[in-house]
Amino acid sequence: PFQEGDYDETKLSRLESRWKQYLAASALSGENLRREKENVKSLVSDISHQTKTPMTNLKMYTALLEETLRAEMHMESREESMEMLQEILRQTEKMEFLIQSLTKISRLETNIVEVRPAFQEISVLLAEAEAGIRQRAANKEIRIRNIYTGNGSACYDLKWTKEALENILDNAVKYTPEGGSVRVSVRPWQFYTRIDISDTGIGIPKEHYNDVFQRFYRAEEVAAEEGVGLGLYLANGIVTRQKGYISVKSKVGEGTTFSVYLLS
């Protein structure tokens, strides 16, 4: 049978310390699990809220199109039907983008998918990210200038970091007037490699620097633009999970620079 006298003070103290460590670790694990469940719950709620309007619009335009098609089809009616059909397609694409973005976020936040950074050339990352945005930039006659010609490397997951940079580039193109430009440059530091994405767009007020990384944040002045406010939130989550970070510097009416710092 156990007797306290079988243990001296040192052994008892060591046992007590290990027991406290175990309890602390268990409590932390429970708290992390609770937070993950709350994240999933919040995301499901967001999906329900954010998909409501596109779905309503889809039903409305579909009903209108059905009524038009049942009537006698004159040339004017055909044109109106095509306009409604295009709106249905636009709303469908918007909803698809939203659901895809929310899925990616939920997979990251619940650690279903792990970001696996490895040392790779920066030029590969920039080329793939630029390719994903090139057509959208061309549609607005916006020139993307990648001035990096080096062969440096950084530690990053290609698939996810490409997603992050493409989201930032997409924002740059979206909020830059037609005929503007987006400049991509790289600056190696001692511990980080900094990738700057600078545009000639509308700019961001300093008091909203942190807000732009929040989920579903949309400034009042860009409410008319397409978007749901998830791109920068997702980009920030991807980069921070690789022990990097993103900063922003901007002047209203002159443009914005997002700087992505990756371990090097």
Side-chain angles (χ1 to χ4, degrees):
F2 170 80
Q3 293 183 3
E4 186 174 339
D6 292 340
Y7 295 90
D8 59 27
E9 261 187 52
T10 302
K11 290 181 179 179
L12 283 172
S13 178
R14 189 181 305 156
L15 180 63
E16 180 182 13
S17 176
R18 289 181 178 177
W19 181 246
K20 286 181 178 179
Q21 290 175 2
Y22 171 78
L23 290 176
S26 297
L28 182 60
S29 178
E31 177 63 17
N32 288 339
L33 181 60
R34 185 192 67 79
R35 287 179 180 175
E36 287 183 3
K37 288 182 178 179
E38 286 298 319
N39 283 336
V40 173
K41 183 179 179 181
S42 176
L43 281 166
V44 171
S45 176
D46 287 338
I47 290 172
S48 176
H49 175 71
Q50 293 293 326
T51 57
K52 185 179 295 183
T53 299
M55 286 299 295
T56 300
N57 288 338
L58 280 172
K59 292 177 181 178
M60 179 184 68
Y61 283 110
T62 301
L64 290 172
L65 183 58
E66 183 180 6
E67 290 178 8
T68 303
L69 292 175
R70 286 181 182 276
E72 185 177 351
M73 292 298 293
H74 299 294
M75 183 59 68
E76 293 181 2
S77 298
R78 289 176 185 174
E79 291 179 359
E80 186 179 353
S81 296
M82 288 303 299
E83 289 178 2
M84 287 188 287
L85 180 59
Q86 290 302 315
E87 183 62 22
I88 288 174
L89 293 174
R90 190 180 69 84
Q91 293 289 338
T92 302
E93 290 172 355
K94 179 179 178 180
M95 185 171 61
E96 183 181 20
F97 172 78
L98 171 65
I99 293 173
Q100 288 177 351
S101 297
L102 288 170
T103 301
K104 291 171 185 175
I105 291 170
S106 65
R107 291 170 69 192
L108 275 174
E109 291 188 343
T110 55
N111 296 318
I112 294 175
V113 172
E114 293 183 4
V115 177
R116 295 184 175 89
F119 281 97
Q120 305 171 73
E121 289 187 5
I122 292 292
S123 57
V124 175
L125 173 63
L126 299 184
E128 294 210 9
E130 183 183 345
I133 200 70
R134 190 176 297 131
Q135 187 57 52
R136 276 166 279 181
N139 292 341
K140 290 184 68 175
E141 298 183 353
I142 291 175
R143 181 187 177 193
I144 297 181
R145 296 186 299 138
N146 177 11
I147 66 171
Y148 180 64
T149 58
N151 59 357
S153 298
C155 190
Y156 64 91
D157 180 299
L158 179 58
K159 175 185 174 182
W160 286 102
T161 312
K162 168 188 170 284
E163 177 92 23
L165 290 190
E166 191 173 328
N167 286 348
I168 296 173
L169 284 167
D170 182 62
N171 260 41
V173 170
K174 186 182 299 180
Y175 301 121
T176 295
E178 291 188 7
S181 64
V182 177
R183 180 175 178 267
V184 181
S185 60
V186 177
R187 181 177 299 181
W189 286 14
Q190 185 174 2
F191 300 109
Y192 290 94
T193 294
R194 180 176 122 188
I195 302 172
D196 287 339
I197 298 175
S198 305
D199 62 54
T200 57
I202 61 176
I204 302 169
K206 191 172 183 179
E207 61 269 24
H208 293 309
Y209 281 6
N210 292 327
D211 295 335
V212 297
F213 295 108
Q214 300 301 311
R215 185 165 57 197
F216 294 118
Y217 173 77
R218 300 293 308 283
E220 292 182 6
E221 58 269 23
V222 299
E225 295 285 345
E226 287 291 335
V228 292
L230 286 174
L232 293 179
Y233 175 79
L234 180 58
N236 191 51
I238 291 169
V239 173
T240 55
R241 278 164 177 75
Q242 299 178 90
K243 299 182 179 178
Y245 63 99
I246 303 176
S247 67
V248 58
K249 187 175 182 181
S250 181
K251 286 187 177 181
V252 176
E254 295 184 20
T256 301
T257 296
F258 282 95
S259 298
V260 179
Y261 294 83
L262 301 173
L263 286 174
S264 58

